[in-house]
Amino acid sequence: HAGLLSENINHPYYDVARHGIIQLAGDDNSGRKVITFSCCRMPPSHQLNHTRLLEYLKYTLEQYVENDYTVVYFHYGLKSLNKPSLKWLQTAYKEFDRKYKKNLKALYVVHPTNFIKILWNIFKPLISHKFGKKVTYLNYLSDLREHLKYDQLNIPQEVIRHDENLRGKHKGKLPPVVKVPPPRPPLPTQQFGVSLQYIKDKNSGELIPPVMKETVSYLKRKGLQVEGLFRRSASIQTIKDVQKLYNQGKPVNFDDYHDIHVPAVILKTFLRELPQPLLTFECYDPIVGITSVESCLRVTRCKQIIQGLPEHNYVVLKYLICFLHMVSQESIYNRMTASSLACVFGLNLIWPSKGTASLSALVPLNLFTELLIDFYMNIFNSRTVPGEILP
């Protein structure tokens, strides 16, 4: 979408957009939107209106700042010719009010130079400690791989060449690739990263995984009217701690964490870490095809696809969607309509067996999820399974 913008001469920021300095690059590993900024695409200062660039940056981010997001900044190619003034940088930092900063979860600075480090010290007094902690310096492109889906990044050729030169110079000094130890077999109480069947077998045949039952019932009691439920992330350490408790079969009391977003993130993480998505790999192509079905037939098509799910997946999905439908019914308070919930949950319910979902696949995946939530009653009314429960 950002790619298309830059070629369209009627685009409100065509003069700035055409350079391709800012791009949208899909999602990172934790499902946040990724925006890239490439210095090497900035023309000499006298040819670029930096005030317009700032407006364009805000215009691009505007659409994504409601959700948590990540920025990748490719520093290579910033020279005295195209470098904006310090005054501009100061304005930029001030202009991006809290709305933009609070949902920016990580800023990766790729190929930093001394200039960046000097700049950082000049700005330190202005930059909040909290914002400072979001910044990570990466010396090589390969360091991005552990944070992001690297192939979606659209990295400028000259940045790739620069990286190869750097690696060539440091050949002898680069650390060897670390071998990952083989995974340990799961505990009998394990809940994350194991199949629905595994959890069922270890929990006396219960169809709904305990972690799902507990997060859903907690959120139903205390979260239905929380604004932006499911849009926020939580402290990574807390999430790890809670996962560990669940995996060891120990009780979790969400009141201890004083943060309603902890159970919300745990529910999303549970879905994301299933070995196979809840909607199954088999359904990926049929679901992506939903946009080529006539509008009036889409709900019927959703129903057909859902009917084809294995019984266990069907029951768990019905339980989850019943709850998300409840959340959407309170959208006057929580601002989470079926459409905003679908943006958050789409990629946690379905992903392709190889690679990652392209930007173009996100539209049908989210639409499908939105229809499930909106037309819950209609889609799930005809198939009942012994032993199923609803939230």
Side-chain angles (χ1 to χ4, degrees):
H1 146 120
L4 297 176
L5 289 182
S6 44
E7 280 90 65
N8 181 354
I9 199 134
N10 300 322
H11 184 266
Y13 289 98
Y14 175 74
D15 55 328
V16 202
R18 66 197 167 102
H19 301 295
I21 301 164
I22 302 160
Q23 303 271 356
L24 178 76
D27 282 41
D28 72 2
N29 293 344
S30 45
R32 307 176 193 136
K33 296 278 166 261
V34 178
I35 289 152
T36 63
F37 187 103
S38 310
C39 285
C40 66
R41 292 186 173 150
M42 279 167 64
S45 294
H46 65 274
Q47 290 173 21
L48 179 68
N49 178 334
H50 286 139
T51 317
R52 295 272 297 160
L53 177 64
L54 186 58
E55 283 171 20
Y56 173 53
L57 194 55
K58 287 172 79 168
Y59 171 88
T60 310
L61 292 177
E62 192 76 54
Q63 312 165 55
Y64 295 101
V65 294
E66 291 296 323
N67 294 309
D68 293 349
Y69 69 99
T70 291
V71 171
V72 181
Y73 166 79
F74 295 110
H75 180 63
Y76 177 72
L78 192 69
K79 309 182 191 63
S80 49
L81 264 180
N82 65 0
K83 200 181 284 177
S85 65
L86 283 181
K87 187 104 184 84
W88 181 83
L89 286 168
Q90 226 162 344
T91 322
Y93 186 78
K94 283 191 191 133
E95 287 257 329
F96 282 105
D97 52 29
R98 195 166 160 270
K99 174 177 92 172
Y100 292 92
K101 285 181 212 152
K102 69 170 190 219
N103 295 340
L104 169 65
K105 293 303 161 194
L107 168 58
Y108 297 110
V109 176
V110 183
H111 300 138
T113 56
N114 284 336
F115 168 71
I116 287 266
K117 290 162 188 163
I118 292 164
L119 206 61
W120 188 248
N121 287 328
I122 297 176
F123 274 94
K124 219 158 198 163
L126 290 174
I127 295 173
S128 68
H129 175 64
K130 212 167 166 187
F131 187 78
K133 286 202 297 200
K134 298 174 184 178
V135 179
T136 307
Y137 291 132
L138 302 175
N139 291 321
Y140 298 102
L141 288 175
S142 55
D143 301 340
L144 275 169
R145 286 181 195 276
E146 53 185 282
H147 306 282
L148 305 164
K149 292 175 177 161
Y150 183 85
D151 308 326
Q152 294 182 346
L153 278 182
N154 186 345
I155 300 168
Q157 267 327 107
E158 49 249 73
V159 172
I160 295 174
R161 277 198 299 275
H162 175 65
D163 194 71
E164 286 163 358
N165 291 339
L166 283 179
R167 293 189 83 79
K169 276 188 199 135
H170 297 272
K171 222 172 204 123
K173 305 179 200 157
L174 286 178
V177 178
V178 183
K179 290 212 165 44
V180 183
R184 283 183 297 211
L187 299 162
T189 46
Q190 188 92 12
Q191 291 203 57
F192 289 86
V194 291
S195 69
L196 293 176
Q197 189 58 47
Y198 184 92
I199 301 173
K200 177 184 160 187
D201 294 343
K202 301 282 189 265
N203 288 278
S204 43
E206 285 272 338
L207 291 173
I208 308 296
V211 59
M212 189 180 240
K213 212 184 282 179
E214 288 172 23
T215 49
V216 164
S217 67
Y218 188 86
L219 291 166
K220 226 180 83 183
R221 289 198 317 276
K222 310 208 166 169
L224 286 182
Q225 299 193 343
V226 172
E227 191 175 326
L229 188 67
F230 294 115
R231 280 199 192 279
R232 307 278 78 91
S233 39
S235 127
I236 199 98
Q237 197 46 54
T238 305
I239 297 303
K240 281 185 178 154
D241 295 345
V242 173
Q243 281 186 278
K244 196 170 172 184
L245 288 173
Y246 270 117
N247 285 338
Q248 295 174 344
K250 293 180 177 156
V252 171
N253 179 2
F254 287 113
D255 284 339
D256 297 346
Y257 301 96
H258 309 292
D259 179 3
I260 194 72
H261 300 297
V262 170
V265 172
I266 285 291
L267 177 59
K268 288 194 294 187
T269 307
F270 170 75
L271 293 165
R272 198 173 59 234
E273 293 192 1
L274 285 167
Q276 165 155 225
L278 185 55
L279 283 164
T280 72
F281 291 133
E282 288 72 32
C283 287
Y284 183 81
D285 289 334
I287 289 173
V288 170
I290 192 77
T291 33
S292 48
V293 176
E294 251 183 286
S295 301
C296 58
L297 300 173
R298 283 178 187 166
V299 174
T300 313
R301 182 73 185 118
C302 281
K303 197 165 179 170
Q304 283 173 346
I305 295 174
I306 295 305
Q307 296 295 357
L309 283 174
E311 198 167 81
H312 196 174
N313 294 60
Y314 178 84
V315 174
V316 175
L317 181 71
K318 183 174 178 178
Y319 180 85
L320 175 71
I321 300 293
C322 176
F323 166 62
L324 294 182
H325 181 72
M326 273 179 213
V327 175
S328 71
Q329 302 263 277
E330 302 286 341
S331 65
I332 185 165
Y333 302 106
N334 61 35
R335 306 282 178 89
M336 297 304 283
T337 58
S339 152
S340 23
L341 287 165
C343 280
V344 173
F345 276 91
L347 272 180
N348 291 322
L349 292 175
I350 183 81
W351 56 86
S353 54
K354 289 183 205 51
T356 56
S358 70
L359 224 49
S360 56
L362 277 181
V363 176
L365 298 185
N366 291 349
L367 172 68
F368 183 85
T369 312
E370 183 179 347
L371 292 171
L372 291 186
I373 298 170
D374 257 338
F375 296 95
Y376 163 76
M377 300 297 192
N378 181 337
I379 292 174
F380 291 91
N381 66 1
S382 53
R383 181 178 172 189
T384 46
V385 176
E388 74 173 354
I389 57 162
L390 287 176

PDB file of all heavy atoms in Angstrom, residues 7 38 84 114 126 135 144 157 204 207 213 222 316 328 332 354 360 373:
ATOM      1  N   GLU A   7       3.799   5.987  -6.184  1.00  0.00           N
ATOM      2  CA  GLU A   7       3.737   6.208  -7.633  1.00  0.00           C
ATOM      3  C   GLU A   7       2.558   7.088  -8.047  1.00  0.00           C
ATOM      4  O   GLU A   7       2.478   7.522  -9.175  1.00  0.00           O
ATOM      5  CB  GLU A   7       3.586   4.875  -8.379  1.00  0.00           C
ATOM      6  CG  GLU A   7       4.900   4.124  -8.523  1.00  0.00           C
ATOM      7  CD  GLU A   7       5.160   3.198  -7.361  1.00  0.00           C
ATOM      8  OE1 GLU A   7       4.393   2.239  -7.202  1.00  0.00           O
ATOM      9  OE2 GLU A   7       6.119   3.435  -6.609  1.00  0.00           O
ATOM     10  N   SER A  38      14.356   4.751   5.089  1.00  0.00           N
ATOM     11  CA  SER A  38      15.674   4.567   4.457  1.00  0.00           C
ATOM     12  C   SER A  38      16.314   5.903   4.130  1.00  0.00           C
ATOM     13  O   SER A  38      15.888   6.605   3.213  1.00  0.00           O
ATOM     14  CB  SER A  38      15.521   3.763   3.153  1.00  0.00           C
ATOM     15  OG  SER A  38      14.750   2.601   3.393  1.00  0.00           O
ATOM     16  N   PRO A  84      19.085  16.356   7.535  1.00  0.00           N
ATOM     17  CA  PRO A  84      18.250  17.446   8.058  1.00  0.00           C
ATOM     18  C   PRO A  84      18.967  18.135   9.228  1.00  0.00           C
ATOM     19  O   PRO A  84      19.836  17.535   9.860  1.00  0.00           O
ATOM     20  CB  PRO A  84      16.982  16.745   8.533  1.00  0.00           C
ATOM     21  CG  PRO A  84      17.252  15.291   8.503  1.00  0.00           C
ATOM     22  CD  PRO A  84      18.567  15.033   7.857  1.00  0.00           C
ATOM     23  N   ASN A 114      29.195   6.926  14.308  1.00  0.00           N
ATOM     24  CA  ASN A 114      29.484   7.802  15.448  1.00  0.00           C
ATOM     25  C   ASN A 114      28.537   8.991  15.489  1.00  0.00           C
ATOM     26  O   ASN A 114      28.146   9.444  16.547  1.00  0.00           O
ATOM     27  CB  ASN A 114      30.920   8.309  15.376  1.00  0.00           C
ATOM     28  CG  ASN A 114      31.865   7.203  15.794  1.00  0.00           C
ATOM     29  OD1 ASN A 114      31.466   6.286  16.515  1.00  0.00           O
ATOM     30  ND2 ASN A 114      33.099   7.262  15.332  1.00  0.00           N
ATOM     31  N   LEU A 126      16.322  15.329  26.223  1.00  0.00           N
ATOM     32  CA  LEU A 126      14.955  15.484  25.715  1.00  0.00           C
ATOM     33  C   LEU A 126      14.201  14.170  25.694  1.00  0.00           C
ATOM     34  O   LEU A 126      12.982  14.127  25.697  1.00  0.00           O
ATOM     35  CB  LEU A 126      14.981  15.997  24.273  1.00  0.00           C
ATOM     36  CG  LEU A 126      15.419  17.428  24.026  1.00  0.00           C
ATOM     37  CD1 LEU A 126      15.501  17.652  22.519  1.00  0.00           C
ATOM     38  CD2 LEU A 126      14.401  18.386  24.635  1.00  0.00           C
ATOM     39  N   VAL A 135      15.009   1.700  21.852  1.00  0.00           N
ATOM     40  CA  VAL A 135      15.954   1.807  20.742  1.00  0.00           C
ATOM     41  C   VAL A 135      16.994   0.687  20.789  1.00  0.00           C
ATOM     42  O   VAL A 135      17.590   0.440  21.827  1.00  0.00           O
ATOM     43  CB  VAL A 135      16.663   3.179  20.768  1.00  0.00           C
ATOM     44  CG1 VAL A 135      17.664   3.298  19.629  1.00  0.00           C
ATOM     45  CG2 VAL A 135      15.640   4.305  20.702  1.00  0.00           C
ATOM     46  N   LEU A 144      18.750  -8.314  12.145  1.00  0.00           N
ATOM     47  CA  LEU A 144      17.312  -8.023  12.083  1.00  0.00           C
ATOM     48  C   LEU A 144      16.490  -9.305  12.131  1.00  0.00           C
ATOM     49  O   LEU A 144      15.345  -9.300  12.554  1.00  0.00           O
ATOM     50  CB  LEU A 144      16.978  -7.299  10.775  1.00  0.00           C
ATOM     51  CG  LEU A 144      17.140  -5.790  10.748  1.00  0.00           C
ATOM     52  CD1 LEU A 144      17.024  -5.303   9.310  1.00  0.00           C
ATOM     53  CD2 LEU A 144      16.089  -5.098  11.608  1.00  0.00           C
ATOM     54  N   GLN A 157      18.948  -1.541  -2.217  1.00  0.00           N
ATOM     55  CA  GLN A 157      20.140  -2.248  -2.712  1.00  0.00           C
ATOM     56  C   GLN A 157      21.418  -1.692  -2.107  1.00  0.00           C
ATOM     57  O   GLN A 157      22.307  -2.442  -1.731  1.00  0.00           O
ATOM     58  CB  GLN A 157      20.230  -2.132  -4.246  1.00  0.00           C
ATOM     59  CG  GLN A 157      19.601  -3.256  -5.028  1.00  0.00           C
ATOM     60  CD  GLN A 157      19.666  -4.649  -4.393  1.00  0.00           C
ATOM     61  OE1 GLN A 157      18.679  -5.159  -3.920  1.00  0.00           O
ATOM     62  NE2 GLN A 157      20.819  -5.272  -4.347  1.00  0.00           N
ATOM     63  N   SER A 204      -7.756 -34.537  31.188  1.00  0.00           N
ATOM     64  CA  SER A 204      -8.916 -35.435  31.284  1.00  0.00           C
ATOM     65  C   SER A 204     -10.006 -35.128  30.254  1.00  0.00           C
ATOM     66  O   SER A 204     -11.175 -34.988  30.590  1.00  0.00           O
ATOM     67  CB  SER A 204      -9.486 -35.462  32.715  1.00  0.00           C
ATOM     68  OG  SER A 204      -9.534 -34.158  33.264  1.00  0.00           O
ATOM     69  N   LEU A 207     -12.208 -30.143  26.351  1.00  0.00           N
ATOM     70  CA  LEU A 207     -12.011 -29.666  24.984  1.00  0.00           C
ATOM     71  C   LEU A 207     -11.373 -28.276  24.922  1.00  0.00           C
ATOM     72  O   LEU A 207     -10.614 -27.973  24.016  1.00  0.00           O
ATOM     73  CB  LEU A 207     -13.353 -29.649  24.233  1.00  0.00           C
ATOM     74  CG  LEU A 207     -13.964 -31.031  23.930  1.00  0.00           C
ATOM     75  CD1 LEU A 207     -15.350 -30.874  23.338  1.00  0.00           C
ATOM     76  CD2 LEU A 207     -13.071 -31.818  22.972  1.00  0.00           C
ATOM     77  N   LYS A 213      -9.696 -20.959  28.730  1.00  0.00           N
ATOM     78  CA  LYS A 213     -10.862 -20.822  29.599  1.00  0.00           C
ATOM     79  C   LYS A 213     -10.618 -19.726  30.643  1.00  0.00           C
ATOM     80  O   LYS A 213     -11.480 -18.892  30.906  1.00  0.00           O
ATOM     81  CB  LYS A 213     -11.117 -22.165  30.294  1.00  0.00           C
ATOM     82  CG  LYS A 213     -12.580 -22.419  30.575  1.00  0.00           C
ATOM     83  CD  LYS A 213     -12.807 -23.717  31.345  1.00  0.00           C
ATOM     84  CE  LYS A 213     -12.716 -24.930  30.447  1.00  0.00           C
ATOM     85  NZ  LYS A 213     -12.915 -26.190  31.184  1.00  0.00           N
ATOM     86  N   LYS A 222     -13.829  -8.783  33.749  1.00  0.00           N
ATOM     87  CA  LYS A 222     -13.188  -7.503  34.088  1.00  0.00           C
ATOM     88  C   LYS A 222     -12.754  -6.657  32.894  1.00  0.00           C
ATOM     89  O   LYS A 222     -12.299  -5.540  33.082  1.00  0.00           O
ATOM     90  CB  LYS A 222     -11.953  -7.760  34.967  1.00  0.00           C
ATOM     91  CG  LYS A 222     -12.259  -8.670  36.138  1.00  0.00           C
ATOM     92  CD  LYS A 222     -11.365  -8.416  37.318  1.00  0.00           C
ATOM     93  CE  LYS A 222     -11.944  -9.108  38.554  1.00  0.00           C
ATOM     94  NZ  LYS A 222     -11.019  -9.119  39.675  1.00  0.00           N
ATOM     95  N   VAL A 316     -13.190 -25.163  19.853  1.00  0.00           N
ATOM     96  CA  VAL A 316     -12.334 -24.127  20.438  1.00  0.00           C
ATOM     97  C   VAL A 316     -12.566 -22.789  19.724  1.00  0.00           C
ATOM     98  O   VAL A 316     -12.670 -21.736  20.358  1.00  0.00           O
ATOM     99  CB  VAL A 316     -10.842 -24.548  20.380  1.00  0.00           C
ATOM    100  CG1 VAL A 316      -9.941 -23.423  20.880  1.00  0.00           C
ATOM    101  CG2 VAL A 316     -10.622 -25.817  21.209  1.00  0.00           C
ATOM    102  N   SER A 328     -17.186  -7.309  20.909  1.00  0.00           N
ATOM    103  CA  SER A 328     -17.607  -6.352  19.883  1.00  0.00           C
ATOM    104  C   SER A 328     -18.955  -5.716  20.230  1.00  0.00           C
ATOM    105  O   SER A 328     -19.241  -4.592  19.826  1.00  0.00           O
ATOM    106  CB  SER A 328     -17.674  -7.022  18.504  1.00  0.00           C
ATOM    107  OG  SER A 328     -18.766  -7.908  18.440  1.00  0.00           O
ATOM    108  N   ILE A 332     -19.045   0.289  22.091  1.00  0.00           N
ATOM    109  CA  ILE A 332     -19.293   1.693  22.449  1.00  0.00           C
ATOM    110  C   ILE A 332     -18.364   2.107  23.599  1.00  0.00           C
ATOM    111  O   ILE A 332     -17.929   3.250  23.686  1.00  0.00           O
ATOM    112  CB  ILE A 332     -20.787   1.941  22.788  1.00  0.00           C
ATOM    113  CG1 ILE A 332     -21.039   3.412  23.041  1.00  0.00           C
ATOM    114  CG2 ILE A 332     -21.240   1.103  23.967  1.00  0.00           C
ATOM    115  CD1 ILE A 332     -22.495   3.788  23.034  1.00  0.00           C
ATOM    116  N   LYS A 354       4.014 -22.264   4.836  1.00  0.00           N
ATOM    117  CA  LYS A 354       5.377 -21.837   4.498  1.00  0.00           C
ATOM    118  C   LYS A 354       5.399 -20.322   4.378  1.00  0.00           C
ATOM    119  O   LYS A 354       4.477 -19.716   3.855  1.00  0.00           O
ATOM    120  CB  LYS A 354       5.805 -22.424   3.142  1.00  0.00           C
ATOM    121  CG  LYS A 354       6.063 -23.916   3.187  1.00  0.00           C
ATOM    122  CD  LYS A 354       6.555 -24.398   1.828  1.00  0.00           C
ATOM    123  CE  LYS A 354       6.284 -25.857   1.563  1.00  0.00           C
ATOM    124  NZ  LYS A 354       4.879 -26.275   1.783  1.00  0.00           N
ATOM    125  N   SER A 360      -1.094  -8.466   0.811  1.00  0.00           N
ATOM    126  CA  SER A 360      -2.356  -8.614   0.078  1.00  0.00           C
ATOM    127  C   SER A 360      -3.245  -9.693   0.702  1.00  0.00           C
ATOM    128  O   SER A 360      -4.458  -9.629   0.612  1.00  0.00           O
ATOM    129  CB  SER A 360      -2.078  -8.933  -1.385  1.00  0.00           C
ATOM    130  OG  SER A 360      -1.271 -10.090  -1.462  1.00  0.00           O
ATOM    131  N   ILE A 373     -16.878 -12.989  13.512  1.00  0.00           N
ATOM    132  CA  ILE A 373     -17.281 -12.281  14.732  1.00  0.00           C
ATOM    133  C   ILE A 373     -18.656 -11.635  14.552  1.00  0.00           C
ATOM    134  O   ILE A 373     -19.540 -11.787  15.398  1.00  0.00           O
ATOM    135  CB  ILE A 373     -16.224 -11.216  15.116  1.00  0.00           C
ATOM    136  CG1 ILE A 373     -14.877 -11.889  15.404  1.00  0.00           C
ATOM    137  CG2 ILE A 373     -16.679 -10.408  16.336  1.00  0.00           C
ATOM    138  CD1 ILE A 373     -13.698 -10.924  15.547  1.00  0.00           C
TER     139      ILE A 373
END
